[in-house]
Amino acid sequence: MPQKYKFCFGPWNISEGADPYGPPTRPPQNFDWKLEAMRKLGFDAMMFHDDDVVPDIDSKSPEQIRREAKEVKKKLDDAGLVAEMVAPRLWFSPNTVDGAYTSNNSAHRQYAIDRSLRCLEIAKILGTDLIVLWLASEGTYMREAKSGRQSIERLVTAFDKLLAADKKARLAIEPKPNEPMDHAYLPTIGHALAVAQLTRDPKRVGCVIESAHAILAGLDPSDEIDFAMSFGKLWSLHLNDQNGLKFDQDKPFASANLRVAFNQVRALERNHYGRNGEFICFDVHPFRPTKPEHWLSHLENSRRTFLRLVEKSRSFDEKKAQTLIAEGDYQALDQLVLEHLLGR
């Protein structure tokens, strides 16, 4: 049977337009407004950072954290939505400017672990077992400042503590080669799945692929999808787009690379992504000049493009393609793909 897909995004994907060189261009909106926007768009789930659920989490007691998480869970239930994942936002704290799990300061490493343990509890209250670890600050600005081997050992130590604290939680590593750190210790899916084997429970350590992050690593996102799914370890997916090896742009899906997006969808289709309940997440942002009245278009357009590419994938002449492959006629195969995308 053809795969049916479920869709989600996070509160941060309705951004106000600020960048490192300029202020916001749209007024801020509260969580309830964003939740209602998701409901109106007909999405199925919401991604969360821990402080999306509990703002100012570091200043609150365990009792306050549990109470506020339960309030968010009720709002999700009332809207007919679910939580797809929760991620500890470790890169905003002054304790993590030189790394979180890999900091050279033992007190800062402990802070990162303690906050991640609180994230586990929030996820349990929201009803998800998926903890996404975007290791934003787990790298170095200069090679002499840290030992790469010691940093891997510190990462494994942190992962093991999380796995031991919740026997049902799954850790999904989201690799990125750079930004904000100059060089990351787990820059690709291959690195993420390799370090999973060093943990106390490798079966509960998988990955998240983001299209833009793969492109920034000089890789094709569809190859990363195939690779992760060969291991049964692609537990979430952040689709977006990227114009070359620049900063992380989070463009709408297929905005810059239609053929690359087509091949991502083909990889998802042939691997039956979603059959175990996984979501298609759009980690996209509106263009900075976007007016408030068009604020949600990037999300709606990304889903629309994805579904059109599902149609394109399913209507592609695979029999003709296999004949051309057998004949070694890659020029004709190339044109077959282009003509199909052009609607000929």
Side-chain angles (χ1 to χ4, degrees):
M1 294 292 294
Q3 176 63 44
K4 292 184 178 180
Y5 293 99
K6 299 183 296 181
F7 301 97
C8 74
F9 62 85
W12 60 92
N13 296 126
I14 307 179
S15 65
E16 287 86 45
D19 66 20
Y21 305 101
T25 58
R26 294 174 292 276
Q29 300 291 348
N30 62 28
F31 175 75
D32 290 344
W33 186 92
K34 294 177 180 182
L35 192 65
E36 178 62 15
M38 172 172 278
R39 191 191 64 78
K40 285 182 177 179
L41 286 174
F43 278 65
D44 304 286
M46 182 171 278
M47 302 185 283
F48 289 97
H49 297 113
D50 52 2
D51 57 4
D52 292 320
V53 183
V54 183
D56 303 314
I57 187 172
D58 285 338
S59 67
K60 294 179 178 175
S61 68
E63 292 75 17
Q64 287 176 301
I65 292 171
R66 285 191 290 270
R67 183 177 68 251
E68 292 187 31
K70 289 177 182 178
E71 291 170 358
V72 171
K73 177 64 164 70
K74 185 178 187 308
K75 290 180 179 182
L76 288 171
D77 291 343
D78 290 346
L81 300 168
V82 299
E84 192 256 353
M85 64 82 168
V86 185
R89 199 195 302 261
L90 299 176
W91 53 95
F92 269 27
S93 170
N95 292 325
T96 60
V97 294
D98 192 31
Y101 304 135
T102 63
S103 173
N104 284 323
N105 185 312
S106 61
H108 293 172
R109 294 198 300 274
Q110 189 60 51
Y111 161 81
I113 292 171
D114 290 342
R115 175 148 174 179
S116 300
L117 291 173
R118 291 197 292 274
C119 181
L120 287 176
E121 187 167 4
I122 290 171
K124 188 181 295 185
I125 292 171
L126 293 188
T128 179
D129 65 352
L130 191 62
I131 306 298
V132 167
L133 299 177
W134 178 47
L135 305 174
S137 55
E138 311 301 0
T140 180
Y141 295 107
M142 62 183 72
R143 284 290 169 264
E144 298 82 1
K146 290 182 180 179
S147 159
R149 177 167 180 169
Q150 184 182 59
S151 293
I152 294 298
E153 291 169 352
R154 287 173 173 172
L155 286 169
V156 173
T157 295
F159 298 163
D160 280 349
K161 289 182 178 180
L162 301 184
L163 292 167
D166 187 335
K167 298 297 193 294
K168 294 183 179 179
R170 295 178 298 146
L171 307 182
I173 300 169
E174 181 181 348
K176 186 179 180 183
N178 58 3
E179 193 195 18
M181 279 290 189
D182 188 24
H183 292 285
Y185 285 122
L186 300 182
T188 69
I189 293 299
H191 287 82
L193 297 186
V195 83
Q197 300 306 307
L198 300 177
T199 67
R200 63 185 294 149
D201 193 351
K203 290 182 180 179
R204 289 195 288 137
V205 182
C207 62
V208 177
I209 289 174
E210 178 167 326
S211 308
H213 295 183
I215 293 169
L216 286 168
L219 302 171
D220 189 293
S222 65
D223 289 341
E224 291 283 83
I225 290 169
D226 276 331
F227 183 81
M229 296 204 72
S230 296
F231 290 84
K233 290 291 190 78
L234 184 57
W235 295 340
S236 186
L237 181 71
H238 295 176
L239 295 181
N240 52 24
D241 211 347
Q242 177 73 22
N243 184 20
L245 304 179
K246 303 178 182 179
F247 59 92
D248 193 348
Q249 296 174 314
D250 290 337
K251 288 177 176 286
F253 182 55
S255 172
N257 302 283
L258 182 61
R259 187 168 179 175
V260 171
F262 172 65
N263 282 310
Q264 288 174 74
V265 173
R266 290 188 73 214
L268 295 171
E269 284 276 290
R270 64 174 164 259
N271 287 290
H272 307 289
Y273 179 84
R275 63 185 170 187
N276 297 315
E278 301 92 347
F279 288 83
I280 299 291
C281 306
F282 294 114
D283 196 355
V284 295
H285 289 95
F287 298 119
R288 194 160 185 262
T290 299
K291 296 179 175 61
E293 56 264 35
H294 307 139
W295 206 337
L296 305 178
S297 296
H298 64 302
L299 293 160
E300 194 167 18
N301 291 345
S302 291
R303 180 180 58 186
R304 180 179 180 184
T305 301
F306 176 86
L307 291 173
R308 289 293 303 274
L309 288 175
V310 169
E311 294 175 0
K312 284 289 184 181
S313 179
R314 292 175 182 175
S315 61
F316 183 62
D317 192 342
E318 291 286 355
K319 185 176 180 180
K320 176 68 172 177
Q322 290 304 316
T323 298
L324 295 174
I325 291 168
E327 295 171 350
D329 192 350
Y330 289 1
Q331 290 296 148
L333 176 64
D334 182 54
Q335 192 63 21
L336 179 69
V337 173
L338 294 175
E339 294 280 356
H340 186 64
L341 291 175
L342 288 168
R344 298 292 296 275

